Amino acid sequence: MLKVNTENLVRYKGKWKKKTVVAGRLKLIERNKETPDVARVEKPTTILRGMRLIDPNEVNKNMICSNCKKQLSFNHIVEEKTMGFHYIWTMRCDTCSTLTKCHSSKSHFNDGAVRSGAGCNALRKIAMCIDMPVLSEETYKRYEREIGPLIEEAAKDSCRGAAAEERNLVIEHIDTLRDKL
Ligand SMILES: [Zn+2]
């Protein structure tokens, strides 16, 4: 018969556990409580998890404290607002505590994303693989409505151009063609 030494067991979260295991767990909890808050604050920000599409020159120019003109960095970001492939970062200066808004680029990549013709689902899949914020379906549709007619017009122009070019080529080589036919 299996003999259990109950002396070494203790009830922990509704289950019987070895006393040494429970003691270790409690010690770990205590140690975590002791960790000062400052350690968490000083860690690099996790707001920018994953990848982003940015214009580095523009970001460098924008990452300057609006009050004391100190050069800021990604670690100063306290909030991120994403608009598809465009981001607005709120940054807190560690010298004067002023909040400055920084744009990730001058223009949106959103219309380019729609123009690519990849489609909303394909874009989402790519963005998911690299852990990057992506256009919402509503935003994609909005851009599609704005850009759609322009793309259609450009396609028509291109067709008209090709037809005219073909016509000119025929006229240009009419004698050669007449001989051959
Ligand atoms: Zn400042």
Side-chain angles (χ1 to χ4, degrees):
M1 199 184 146
L2 185 71
K3 253 186 146 183
V4 180
N5 187 359
T6 49
E7 268 177 36
N8 291 331
L9 295 178
V10 66
R11 273 308 257 191
Y12 182 71
K13 292 194 175 176
K15 280 179 187 167
W16 287 105
K17 299 262 180 200
K18 272 189 183 169
K19 275 183 182 169
T20 47
V21 171
V22 174
R25 230 170 251 186
L26 292 175
K27 213 167 147 188
L28 199 71
I29 290 169
E30 277 311 304
R31 205 186 302 152
N32 282 343
K33 272 188 198 160
E34 283 165 18
T35 313
D37 255 346
V38 69
R40 218 179 321 137
V41 175
E42 280 172 0
K43 265 190 207 164
T45 177
T46 50
I47 289 171
L48 292 190
R49 203 194 68 215
M51 295 173 88
R52 299 289 185 279
L53 280 174
I54 63 159
D55 178 341
N57 288 326
E58 191 62 20
V59 167
N60 211 29
K61 209 170 68 194
N62 294 342
M63 276 190 177
I64 289 170
C65 173
S66 57
N67 181 45
C68 74
K69 308 296 170 206
K70 182 190 167 159
Q71 181 74 53
L72 302 170
S73 71
F74 288 109
N75 286 348
H76 292 101
I77 297 174
V78 290
E79 193 188 80
E80 180 184 43
K81 205 173 159 195
T82 66
M83 296 155 75
F85 296 115
H86 185 84
Y87 327 104
I88 302 166
W89 299 309
T90 306
M91 316 184 86
R92 179 177 281 120
C93 174
D94 52 12
T95 305
C96 71
S97 295
T98 301
L99 294 175
T100 302
K101 288 225 186 303
C102 169
H103 286 250
S104 59
S105 56
K106 242 187 221 165
S107 59
H108 290 202
F109 290 105
N110 297 346
D111 53 349
V114 176
R115 266 172 213 264
S116 76
C120 194
N121 282 341
L123 282 175
R124 294 183 87 87
K125 276 182 202 158
I126 296 168
M128 263 167 65
C129 289
I130 54 174
D131 201 1
M132 184 170 72
V134 70
L135 293 158
S136 68
E137 213 164 327
E138 298 85 68
T139 314
Y140 185 92
K141 291 240 164 75
R142 184 162 55 80
Y143 275 94
E144 209 173 31
R145 275 197 300 274
E146 282 173 21
I147 292 165
L150 298 175
I151 295 176
E152 221 168 273
E153 200 46 48
K156 272 184 201 160
D157 273 356
S158 157
C159 281
R160 269 183 232 128
E165 199 179 327
E166 206 176 306
R167 187 170 168 270
N168 289 341
L169 279 171
V170 171
I171 294 168
E172 220 173 278
H173 301 283
I174 191 80
D175 293 335
T176 326
L177 282 168
R178 200 183 294 134
D179 292 345
K180 283 196 175 162
L181 292 169

